[in-house]
Each structure stands twice: as structure tokens, then as C-alpha cells.
């Protein structure tokens, strides 16, 4: 009993850690896409932030400086996306792909030239990354059967960014549904013409949305390189940005369901890592690659309307032209 | 809602025929010809900043790049071998663009095309070489088309956005192929995930071998018969887009969906046909890699060529002639880039990926930013003459 309980608790904790970068990036994408800007660039923003954070933390020895650099890098990438798509009415998908490709090359080129470790950044010492945090009273409360186990193994012992991600979900829900900015954000994504008529700048709202998206992607990227791991590795985002985009679509562009989708995808990944080579009842050994493909297959099925229905913000992907 | 590629698809088909008069018409070719050159220059300029940042000389890097790509017959052969991949994927992306569709899935379509080709070649032990080649061409096209058909059908019938589904299909293809290569198709008793080598009758003849057989010595390089096929496909795509009813319907749909439907065009069928053709073209890329060079199926053999296709299509302005030119340019970047990293150890060939991304940015996303001032620059004299 206690063994399987501990196993479940460890699985839950691993799921939380795996879901963190997805949640942060997907929430970033939520701002951009709710404002009507397709955000394929989540992947690139994550990667840019991961590199900037690890490089800065390696040079300064400070995790906070790394985090700031990561956020700054992701915001800059988001604003370039905005410059192309908002100011110059460029194709949003093309711009996002361009940024993803540029950054996947640029991080390696700069890392290779600056650190001479084949595209990696140096391993970070303890002060240069976000260490696991022990929640107060773990030793006392952890002894309680049941709840104590959950407190000790699931809730405690993560790094700061995991907790930020947990807080970010209700915070984003509040901003999007309860604040003036959130109302304008959603309005711009559904009917930019109406917002413009009300005397609010569509461009300003969209730029702001992309900046917020950059901040959240910055946290996500920094989590990869200076919290979960201790250095930048080439292509370290490894499709997580696209997975976050899939989670956002799967969550129908709403915070709480998006969180659920991220947890589901992360859980599939944890199970996949646990199951390697273990036969399951009825089906036998399931190849890990097939489990890895599950999130993508689910997203396709959802988009096709076979599992629920995904209704995108109405103005998504359409550049807003003030005058015809 | 289709991919809003007003920019990408509309580029070539906006012949600047306006009321502004003959002066404008005479200069009409200037902007389409000048714009890619300016785009390239801008992308290279931005890359030069990166090279400077690293502390190397951009002019020397460019010289090394160019001589690495065109310095001798062997280098040119390698450049053309890379270009072959990019012609196929560039054409694939361009065909979809003309219908206002963005096929990001060329990578996965090429991968699956390669699977079908490899299965055929592994099974075609005693077949005559010509038969294998013909069958493999059909197989590559069929594999790629099949992998594009599902997103196409979902876009046309269920309204799921082709951009997202093709991205997802790239990941699914990658997972399926890794599984097949690691667990099923792997050569027994071997560590690296690849199939056994095909029988020589299932190899695509390389051009230096063909040239030698008619007594003409050219440098050894992997460039093979698929280059000829790629050029032929360019011609066929040109015929399809501008000289068939299907092509007309596709372009009409890309310009104005409402008008196309009013004109009796069935969007669903047109989208499915176009994306399947796009997938088939991407699938053909595998002939060059799998049959022409590696002679076996390797993990991740497309190596990003599907994404290069986006840059090639945008830079080639979705026209086969432009695509061939852009593909040779990118072939030169890839070949020159690997030579460059030998001579400048501080630079890796990933610099080429940076240039590629920047070209997509300035050609595709920032297209309007450059086009408007250029248009007005060449329009002004025409207006003046029309006014006088």
C-alpha cells in the first residue's frame, strides 16, 4: 500500500516538473492567440530564453540574472514577431517559423563560439540555478500518513519556477477574465474592428499580449536550462513549444483546461519513461515512441472535432488593417 | 479558415498592371526581380552581424562559403545534391502556398516517402534497375501524398487548421519512424538504427557514373538522377499551376475563396488534390537521399530539408524557376557552410540555419515592409509620365 502510494506520489511530482515548462509556455501562447496572433514561435522563444538564461547564469553566477536575461530574450523575440505581424501585417505563421529556425541556429552558433563546448553552456554551480525548495514543516507534517506523503513528495521539493507556474494559472485566468486588459485582449482576438471603433489601439493591445507571452515563455525557457537542468544543450526545447501549443489548443484557449492538457501530456511522458520495456496487460510491450506520439494524435483528433470541438479566437491569424 | 497567406501566395500573382500607365508596366519586372536580391542581401547583412559578434571577418566567411560551394567540380556536385532536396521541398511548399495553404509538413511527408521507398528497395532484390527506379518514384510520391492526405482531408472536411495538423504529423511521423527503425527495420546485430544496405540494382545512378559511361569525367559527388527528376517536376508544377484547370482552381481559391466558390470551384476537392500533390513532391525528396546517396533508411534522413523548402518557396516567389534558383542558393549555403566550419573553427555550420531563418523572416514575414517602398520607388516616374 505505502509502496504504491509512494510510487503514485513520485509519478505526480514528476508530472508536475514535466508540466511546468508546458504550462508556462502555453499560458504565454494563450495571451498571444487570444489577441489574434498565431504563436508558433513558442518553441523559439523558449529556446532563446533557455540559452540566454544559461549563458548569463554561467557568466554571472546568478540564477536571478539568468532568469532576467531569459525573459528579456524571449520578449525581444516576441516583439520581433510583433514588428513583422502587427506593424507590417506579415504572415504570422511564416514569421513564427522564421524565428524558430533562426533561433535554433543562433543559439548553437553563439554557444559554440562563446563557450567552446560544442554548443553547450558550462555546467552551472548551485548558486547559478534555482534549487529545490523545501516547504516549511515538511519534517513535521510529512510523518502524517496519507496527506503527509502528498505534502512531502508531491508539493514540496520543487524549484521556484514550478510554484510560479502553479500560481500563474489562476493569475492568468484572473487577468484574462476579470481585468480591463483581459477584456480588451479577448475583444481584440474576436473582433478587432469593434475594439478599434471604441478608440482602443488594436496594435497596442496585441504588442502587450506578445510581451506578456514573451515573459511567460522566458520563465519556461529558464526553467529548462537553469532550474530543471544545469546547462543549455542544443535544441533543448525539443518540440516542447509545439507541445505547449497543442496543449493550448487542446485546452480550447482557456487557462484551466490548458493546465489539464499540460498535465495530461506530461503524465504521458512520465509514464512512457517508467514503462520502457515493461509489458502491459492485454497489449504487451508498448513502444515508447508510440506513447510519445499520443499528445500529437490527441490534438489532431480534437482539431478534427472527433474529441470535443476546438473553436479558435475568431480573428486569429488575420492581420488588422485599419483602412481598406 | 485557410491559412491567411495573403502575402505568400499573392506575391507572384499580383502583376503590377494598374491604371498608372505604360511606364509602370515597363518597369513591372523590376520589383519581382529586385526584391529577392534585396531580401538575400538583408539576410546576409544580418548574418554578418552574427559573424562579427563571434569575432570573425564576414567578408572572409562569405568568400570561404562561396568557394566551398562552387570552388571545384566536386563542390558544385555537392551543392547540386543539396539543391535537389530543396527543389522538391520548395515545390511542395509552393504548390500549397498557391492555394493559400501553408504546408509545414514537408519534413514528415519526405520521411514517410522515404519509408515506402526503402521498403520497396529492400524487397526489390532481383528487379531490373529501371523498374526499381520507376516503382520507387511512384512509391515516394505515394508515401508523401498519403501523409499529406490526412491533414488535407481534415482541413477540407473537418476544418482543422492545416498548419497545426501538419506540425503534429511531423512529430507523429518522427515517432513512428523512430519506432520502426529502432525496433523493426533495424539490421540485426547492429547498434545504429538503420536498415541494411539495398542491392546495387536499387541505387539511383549518380551523375558522375553516368557521365563516365559516355566517356566524360566529372568530379565524384553524390548528385544523382533525382536532380533531373527534380527539374522535370519543376516543369510539371509549372504546367499544373498555370496550364491546367486544377491549377487555375487552386490559384483562384488562394486569391479569393468566396469568389472561387461563387465561380463553381469546390474548395474541399481542390484543397485535397493540391495538398496531396504537395506531399507527393515532398516525398520525392527521399529518392535523392535514400536511393541516391545513403542506399539505406537512416534515422531523421530529411535533416530539416522540409523546413528549408519554406525558405526556398518564399525566396523563389512560389514559381518553379525562382525555386530552382533559390534551391541552388541554399544548396550552396549548406555545402559552403560545412566547408566554412573547417576553415573557421569558431563558426559551426548552424550559421546556415540562421541565414535560412533570416531569409524566411525578410522574404516572408517582412515582405510588405520592403515591398511598399520599392513599389512606390518604381511607380513614381510612371505617375509623372501619366500626368504629363
Amino acid at each position: 500500500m505505502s509502496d504504491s502510494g509512494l510510487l503514485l506520489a513520485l509519478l505526480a511530482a514528476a508530472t508536475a516538473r514535466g508540466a511546468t515548462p508546458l504550462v508556462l509556455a502555453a499560458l504565454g501562447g494563450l495571451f498571444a492567440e487570444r489577441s489574434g496572433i498565431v504563436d508558433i514561435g513558442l518553441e523559439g522563444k523558449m529556446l532563446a530564453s533557455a540559452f540566454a538564461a544559461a549563458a548569463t547564469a554561467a557568466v554571472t553566477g546568478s540564477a536571478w540574472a539568468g532568469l532576467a536575461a531569459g525573459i528579456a530574450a524571449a520578449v525581444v523575440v516576441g516583439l520581433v514577431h510583433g514588428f513583422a505581424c502587427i506593424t507590417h501585417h506579415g504572415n504570422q505563421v511564416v514569421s513564427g517559423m522564421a524565428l524558430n529556425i533562426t533561433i535554433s541556429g543562433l543559439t548553437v552558433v553563439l554557444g559554440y563560439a562563446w563557450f567552446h563546448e560544442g554548443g553547450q553552456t558550462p555546467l552551472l554551480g548551485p548558486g547559478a540555478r534555482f534549487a529545490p525548495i523545501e516547504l516549511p514543516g515538511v519534517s513535521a507534517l510529512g510523518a502524517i500518513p496519507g496527506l503527509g506523503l502528498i505534502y512531502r513528495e508531491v508539493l514540496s521539493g520543487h524549484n521556484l519556477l514550478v510554484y510560479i507556474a502553479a500560481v500563474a494559472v489562476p493569475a492568468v485566468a484572473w487577468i484574462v477574465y476579470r481585468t480591463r486588459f483581459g477584456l480588451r485582449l479577448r475583444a481584440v482576438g474576436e473582433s478587432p474592428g469593434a475594439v478599434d471603433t471604441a478608440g482602443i489601439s488594436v496594435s497596442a493591445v496585441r504588442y502587450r499580449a506578445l510581451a506578456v507571452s514573451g515573459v511567460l515563455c522566458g520563465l519556461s525557457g529558464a526553467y529548462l536550462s537553469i532550474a530543471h537542468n544545469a546547462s543549455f544543450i542544443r535544441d533543448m526545447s525539443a518540440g516542447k513549444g509545439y507541445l505547449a501549443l497543442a496543449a493550448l489548443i487542446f485546452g480550447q484557449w482557456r487557462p484551466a483546461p490548458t493546465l489539464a492538457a499540460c498535465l495530461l501530456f506530461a503524465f504521458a511522458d512520465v509514464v512512457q519513461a517508467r514503462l520502457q520495456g515493461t509489458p502491459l496487460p492485454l497489449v504487451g510491450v508498448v513502444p515508447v515512441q508510440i506513447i510519445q506520439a499520443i499528445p500529437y494524435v490527441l490534438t489532431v483528433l480534437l482539431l478534427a472535432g472527433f474529441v470535443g470541438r476546438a473553436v479558435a479566437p475568431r480573428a486569429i491569424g488575420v492581420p488588422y488593417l485599419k483602412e481598406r | 479558415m485557410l491559412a491567411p497567406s495573403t502575402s505568400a501566395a499573392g506575391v507572384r500573382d499580383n502583376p503590377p498592371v494598374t491604371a498608372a500607365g505604360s511606364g509602370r508596366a515597363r518597369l513591372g519586372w523590376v520589383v519581382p526581380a529586385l526584391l529577392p536580391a534585396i531580401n538575400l542581401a538583408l539576410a546576409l547583412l544580418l548574418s554578418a552581424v552574427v559573424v562579427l559578434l563571434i569575432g570573425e571577418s564576414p567578408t572572409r566567411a562569405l568568400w570561404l562559403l562561396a568557394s566551398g560551394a562552387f570552388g571545384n567540380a566536386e563542390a558544385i556536385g555537392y551543392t547540386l545534391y543539396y539543391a535537389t532536396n530543396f527543389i522538391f521541398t520548395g515545390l511542395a511548399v509552393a504548390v500549397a502556398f498557391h492555394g493559400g495553404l501553408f504546408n509545414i509538413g514537408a519534413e514528415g511527408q519526405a520521411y514517410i516517402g522515404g519509408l515506402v521507398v526503402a521498403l520497396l528497395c529492400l524487397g526489390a532484390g532481383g528487379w531490373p534497375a529501371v523498374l526499381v527506379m520507376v516503382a520507387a518514384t511512384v512509391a515516394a510520391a505515394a508515401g508523401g501524398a498519403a501523409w499529406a492526405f490526412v491533414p488535407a482531408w481534415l482541413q477540407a472536411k473537418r476544418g482543422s487548421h492545416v498548419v497545426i495538423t501538419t506540425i503534429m504529423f511531423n512529430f507523429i511521423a518522427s515517432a513512428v519512424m523512430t519506432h520502426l527503425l529502432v525496433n523493426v527495420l533495424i539490421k540485426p546485430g547492429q547498434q545504429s538504427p538503420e536498415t541494411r544496405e539495398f542491392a546495387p540494382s536499387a541505387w539511383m545512378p549518380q551523375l558522375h557514373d553516368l557521365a563516365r559511361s559516355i566517356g566524360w569525367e566529372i568530379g565524384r559527388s553524390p548528385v544523382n538522377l533525382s536532380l533531373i527528376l527534380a527539374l522535370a517536376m519543376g516543369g510539371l508544377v509549372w504546367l499544373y499551376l498555370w496550364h491546367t484547370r486544377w491549377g487555375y482552381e487552386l490559384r483562384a481559391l488562394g486569391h479569393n475563396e468566396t469568389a472561387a466558390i461563387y465561380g463553381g470551384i469546390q474548395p474541399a476537392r481542390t484543397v485535397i488534390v493540391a495538398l496531396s500533390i504537395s506531399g507527393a513532391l515532398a516525398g520525392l525528396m527521399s529518392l535523392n537521399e535514400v536511393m541516391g546517396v545513403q542506399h539505406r533508411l537512416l534515422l531523421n534522413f530529411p535533416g530539416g530539408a522540409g523546413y528549408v523548402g519554406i525558405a526556398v518557396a518564399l525566396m523563389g516567389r512560389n514559381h518553379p524557376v525562382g525555386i530552382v534558383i533559390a534551391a541552388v542558393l541554399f544548396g550552396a549555403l549548406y555545402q559552403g557552410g560545412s566547408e566554412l566550419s573547417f576553415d573557421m573553427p569558431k563558426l559551426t555550420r548552424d550559421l546556415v540555419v540562421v541565414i535560412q531563418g533570416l531569409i524566411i523572416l525578410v522574404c516572408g514575414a517582412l515582405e510588405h515592409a520592403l515591398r511598399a517602398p520599392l513599389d512606390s520607388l518604381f511607380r513614381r516616374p510612371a505617375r509623372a509620365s501619366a500626368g504629363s
Side-chain angles (χ1 to χ4, degrees):
Chain A
M1 173 57 214
S2 74
D3 257 10
S4 61
L6 185 63
L7 178 67
L8 275 180
L10 290 177
L11 279 180
T15 302
R17 283 192 293 273
T20 297
L22 299 180
V23 170
L24 289 167
L27 291 177
L30 190 144
F31 278 97
E33 300 230 324
R34 272 301 181 93
S35 82
I37 305 280
V38 178
D39 208 356
I40 300 232
L42 291 179
E43 177 84 6
K45 284 187 268 192
M46 261 170 107
L47 197 61
S49 159
F51 175 73
T56 311
V59 173
T60 62
S62 157
W64 290 100
L67 182 64
I71 290 175
V75 169
V76 166
V77 175
L79 293 182
V80 172
H81 188 49
F83 179 71
C85 302
I86 303 171
T87 305
H88 290 294
H89 313 297
N91 184 318
Q92 299 165 2
V93 177
V94 172
S95 166
M97 277 316 284
L99 290 169
N100 286 350
I101 293 172
T102 308
I103 289 160
S104 80
L106 193 59
T107 48
V108 178
V109 169
L110 292 180
Y112 189 87
W114 286 346
F115 298 106
H116 316 287
E117 292 186 19
Q120 292 193 22
T121 60
L123 269 185
L124 298 173
R129 51 186 292 228
F130 290 101
I133 299 171
E134 191 126 300
L135 291 186
V138 165
S139 49
L141 295 172
I144 304 168
L147 287 177
L149 179 75
I150 293 176
Y151 189 65
R152 174 164 48 97
E153 297 295 340
V154 183
L155 296 182
S156 176
H158 299 294
N159 62 61
L160 178 69
L161 293 172
V162 178
Y163 298 113
I164 289 183
V167 176
V169 178
V172 167
W174 184 75
I175 291 171
V176 169
Y177 293 114
R178 292 278 180 272
T179 65
R180 181 188 297 202
F181 171 65
L183 179 65
R184 289 177 177 177
L185 179 84
R186 287 179 288 135
V188 158
E190 296 292 332
S191 177
V195 176
D196 200 8
T197 312
I200 299 159
S201 163
V202 174
S203 300
V205 174
R206 289 186 168 174
Y207 264 111
R208 249 173 263 165
L210 283 177
V212 176
S213 171
V215 171
L216 286 162
C217 289
L219 289 167
S220 169
Y223 174 80
L224 293 180
S225 66
I226 63 171
H228 194 57
N229 300 295
S231 71
F232 174 84
I233 309 161
R234 66 175 296 163
D235 285 322
M236 126 173 268
S237 50
K240 286 196 180 64
Y242 295 113
L243 199 59
L245 189 68
L248 176 63
I249 296 165
F250 206 73
Q252 320 221 348
W253 293 269
R254 289 179 302 186
T258 300
L259 169 69
C262 292
L263 289 171
L264 174 71
F265 293 176
F267 183 68
D269 193 51
V270 170
V271 168
Q272 167 267 119
R274 283 266 160 179
L275 275 185
Q276 298 211 348
T278 323
L280 287 180
L282 298 177
V283 285
V285 176
V286 180
V288 290
Q289 294 85 8
I290 301 306
I291 300 177
Q292 280 168 349
I294 285 174
Y296 307 112
V297 174
L298 280 178
T299 307
V300 170
L301 289 176
L302 175 88
L303 279 169
F306 295 126
V307 190
R309 193 92 192 99
V311 182
R314 195 173 304 150
I316 198 163
V318 188
Y320 180 65
L321 297 164
K322 207 177 171 96
E323 297 144 36
R324 286 274 172 193
Chain B
M1 184 65 215
L2 300 177
S5 66
T6 46
S7 51
V11 172
R12 223 208 72 85
D13 296 307
N14 267 336
V17 183
T18 59
S22 58
R24 173 103 174 87
R26 241 186 292 128
L27 284 169
W29 58 272
V30 173
V31 175
L34 210 57
L35 206 52
I38 295 177
N39 284 330
L40 177 67
L42 206 62
L44 287 178
L45 207 67
L46 287 170
S47 315
V49 175
V50 176
V51 176
L52 273 179
L53 222 67
I54 289 166
E56 289 280 6
S57 150
T59 47
R60 186 158 163 264
L62 188 64
W63 168 247
L64 285 172
L65 199 81
S67 58
F70 299 110
N72 52 54
E74 216 172 286
I76 294 173
Y78 270 90
T79 295
L80 291 177
Y81 144 66
Y82 287 118
T84 309
N85 286 343
F86 305 151
I87 296 175
F88 283 126
T89 54
L91 289 171
V93 176
V95 164
F97 264 150
H98 276 283
L101 301 158
F102 194 177
N103 178 12
I104 302 192
E107 187 83 359
Q109 289 143 17
Y111 212 172
I112 298 295
L115 170 69
V116 185
V117 168
L119 291 178
L120 181 98
C121 290
L122 287 169
W127 298 15
V130 176
L131 180 63
V132 181
M133 256 190 280
V134 174
T137 306
V138 175
W147 203 248
F149 175 82
V150 184
W153 186 85
L154 291 173
Q155 161 91 57
K157 300 284 187 186
R158 312 283 310 188
S160 30
H161 204 300
V162 73
V163 167
I164 307 292
T165 40
T166 49
I167 291 176
M168 298 300 139
F169 265 65
N170 281 347
F171 284 108
I172 298 171
S174 166
V176 168
M177 293 294 284
T178 309
H179 163 59
L180 288 177
L181 277 169
V182 170
N183 300 325
V184 184
L185 294 171
I186 188 168
K187 184 178 165 191
Q190 176 187 257
Q191 283 296 313
S192 62
E194 54 188 54
T195 64
R196 68 176 161 83
E197 199 175 52
F198 310 149
S201 64
W203 295 7
M204 186 70 81
Q206 301 194 331
L207 291 188
H208 65 88
D209 285 332
L210 290 179
R212 187 176 314 120
S213 67
I214 54 168
W216 183 29
E217 284 292 332
I218 54 175
R220 282 186 67 86
S221 71
V223 63
N224 57 71
L225 262 191
S226 9
L227 174 64
I228 312 297
L229 182 70
L231 296 173
M233 282 300 148
L236 284 180
V237 165
W238 178 77
L239 280 177
Y240 161 60
L241 285 174
W242 286 284
H243 294 276
T244 67
R245 184 191 292 183
W246 283 359
Y248 168 74
E249 291 181 350
L250 181 66
R251 288 181 297 120
L253 191 69
H255 273 296
N256 188 335
E257 197 181 352
T258 319
I261 295 170
Y262 184 74
I265 291 167
Q266 296 169 18
R269 199 197 58 190
T270 310
V271 163
I272 292 177
V273 168
L275 276 176
S276 299
I277 290 176
S278 171
L281 288 164
L284 287 173
M285 176 240 143
S286 65
L287 290 178
N288 186 37
E289 281 294 327
V290 175
M291 246 186 120
V293 182
Q294 309 294 350
H295 307 137
R296 75 195 77 184
L297 191 63
L298 292 174
L299 206 59
N300 197 25
F301 76 82
Y307 300 110
V308 182
I310 300 169
V312 167
L314 286 169
M315 183 146 198
R317 308 179 71 74
N318 299 316
H319 191 281
V321 174
I323 286 169
V324 170
I325 296 171
V328 171
L329 179 88
F330 271 94
L333 280 176
Y334 268 70
Q335 165 58 17
S338 40
E339 295 291 315
L340 176 66
S341 51
F342 278 117
D343 293 314
M344 282 190 172
K346 275 165 96 180
L347 286 180
T348 72
R349 62 176 297 181
D350 297 274
L351 181 66
V352 174
V353 179
V354 178
I355 300 176
Q356 175 195 336
L358 290 173
I359 284 179
I360 300 180
L361 191 70
V362 289
C363 281
L366 287 171
E367 179 209 27
H368 301 298
L370 285 170
R371 193 184 173 83
L374 212 60
D375 264 344
S376 63
L377 188 72
F378 287 100
R379 192 177 288 149
R380 208 163 287 137
R383 274 212 187 120
S385 67
S388 64

